[in-house]
Amino acid sequence: MAMPVSAARVCRLAGRTVSSLSAGHRRAVNLPARTCFISTSTASSLQFRLDERTAHSSLDLFKKDTGVIYRMMGLDPSQVQDDPERFRDWAVVFGDKTISSGRHYWEVTVKKSQEFRLGVAEAAMSRDDCVGTNSSSWVFGYAQRKWFAMTSNKMVPVTLVGKPDRVGILLDYEGGFLGLVDVEQPRIIHTLRGQFKAPLCPAFGLWDGELLTHSGLEEPEGLM
């Protein structure tokens, strides 16, 4: 059964982390008034749906498994098909595709939600953990009307975002970064650095409202 929102915040309100870009697979090009980072990863259009096997009992999938809605009461865990892939304590669901290389982009529409997380996690991440609380997940979250970036249970505020109805997620596996994208500009608002060594899945946490995923998209031009 899903934990109350007040209790759920315990796993996401501690510590700080450094947000910077890894230069392992990019080079800096100096242009007037800005620095661009050029990735050497190959771009591809990742097409995925949400994996019902991983969905916590408080989450229902809809629209051919591309959307997820949070149910306050949820289902009795005993009424949900037992599956070792399912998240047991936290309202989390994974995408059904794994990523081991390349550069990938997808978008998420947020509907009536004041508390959610978007990002990636290792496919083998513990189903007893919440995304963002361990070293095998990297997420951007929204709670208490504020954005933050989080990994290894360390959080840094993300400013100048507001609450857009739709945001983008850009993953560069070899480049070692995850970006939160403003889809209106488009521009990268914030990045998280990581050393990705294991297969990753798109990852989502939701504590109210709905999320609708949009995959199979081309990366907007000029991000980096």
Side-chain angles (χ1 to χ4, degrees), residues 12-13 110 113-119 131-132 138-151 154-159 161-164 167 169 178 180 190 192 203-207 211:
R12 62 187 85 134
L13 296 178
V110 180
S113 180
Q114 297 297 319
E115 191 162 15
F116 55 87
R117 296 183 186 180
L118 318 170
V131 288
W138 301 259
V139 296
F140 298 104
Y142 185 85
Q144 299 178 313
R145 299 182 180 181
K146 296 179 181 179
W147 282 89
F148 58 89
M150 188 175 186
T151 184
K154 297 178 181 179
M155 184 180 66
V156 61
V158 176
T159 59
V161 183
K163 188 177 182 296
V167 296
I169 298 293
L178 184 75
L180 178 65
H190 199 92
L192 271 171
F204 308 87
L206 182 65
W207 289 271
L211 299 175

Side-chain angles (χ1 to χ4, degrees), residues 39-51:
S39 170
T40 59
S41 296
T42 302
S44 61
S45 298
L46 177 71
Q47 184 80 50
F48 67 86
R49 297 180 185 275
L50 301 176
D51 188 350

Side-chain angles (χ1 to χ4, degrees), residues 8-188:
R9 287 200 181 102
V10 171
C11 84
R12 62 187 85 134
L13 296 178
R16 297 179 63 85
T17 189
V18 176
S19 174
S20 61
L21 294 174
S22 167
H25 291 268
R26 299 186 300 284
R27 59 187 178 85
V29 179
N30 291 321
L31 297 175
R34 66 179 293 186
T35 300
C36 292
F37 293 87
I38 300 176
S39 170
T40 59
S41 296
T42 302
S44 61
S45 298
L46 177 71
Q47 184 80 50
F48 67 86
R49 297 180 185 275
L50 301 176
D51 188 350
E52 193 279 332
R53 299 176 308 151
T54 68
H56 185 266
S57 59
S58 65
L59 301 178
D60 283 345
L61 306 187
F62 66 96
K63 203 169 184 179
K64 297 183 179 179
D65 294 346
T66 61
V68 57
I69 185 170
Y70 177 81
R71 305 291 188 187
M72 180 66 73
M73 298 304 294
L75 296 175
D76 182 339
S78 66
Q79 302 301 312
V80 178
Q81 182 178 355
D82 186 31
D83 196 307
E85 295 296 310
R86 192 176 305 283
F87 279 87
R88 293 176 278 275
D89 297 325
W90 300 99
V92 171
V93 62
F94 278 1
D96 65 356
K97 294 293 191 298
T98 58
I99 304 166
S100 298
S101 64
R103 189 173 167 102
H104 307 274
Y105 176 78
W106 59 93
E107 294 180 356
V108 182
T109 297
V110 180
K111 295 184 177 181
K112 302 177 182 178
S113 180
Q114 297 297 319
E115 191 162 15
F116 55 87
R117 296 183 186 180
L118 318 170
V120 296
E122 293 181 359
M125 173 183 148
S126 170
R127 288 344 189 219
D128 293 320
D129 290 348
C130 184
V131 288
T133 63
N134 53 34
S135 61
S136 57
S137 56
W138 301 259
V139 296
F140 298 104
Y142 185 85
Q144 299 178 313
R145 299 182 180 181
K146 296 179 181 179
W147 282 89
F148 58 89
M150 188 175 186
T151 184
S152 300
N153 209 32
K154 297 178 181 179
M155 184 180 66
V156 61
V158 176
T159 59
L160 303 177
V161 183
K163 188 177 182 296
D165 295 327
R166 184 161 169 161
V167 296
I169 298 293
L170 176 64
L171 170 68
D172 190 324
Y173 191 96
E174 287 83 6
F177 76 86
L178 184 75
L180 178 65
V181 178
D182 179 344
V183 301
E184 297 295 331
Q185 299 285 333
R187 64 186 179 93
I188 293 180

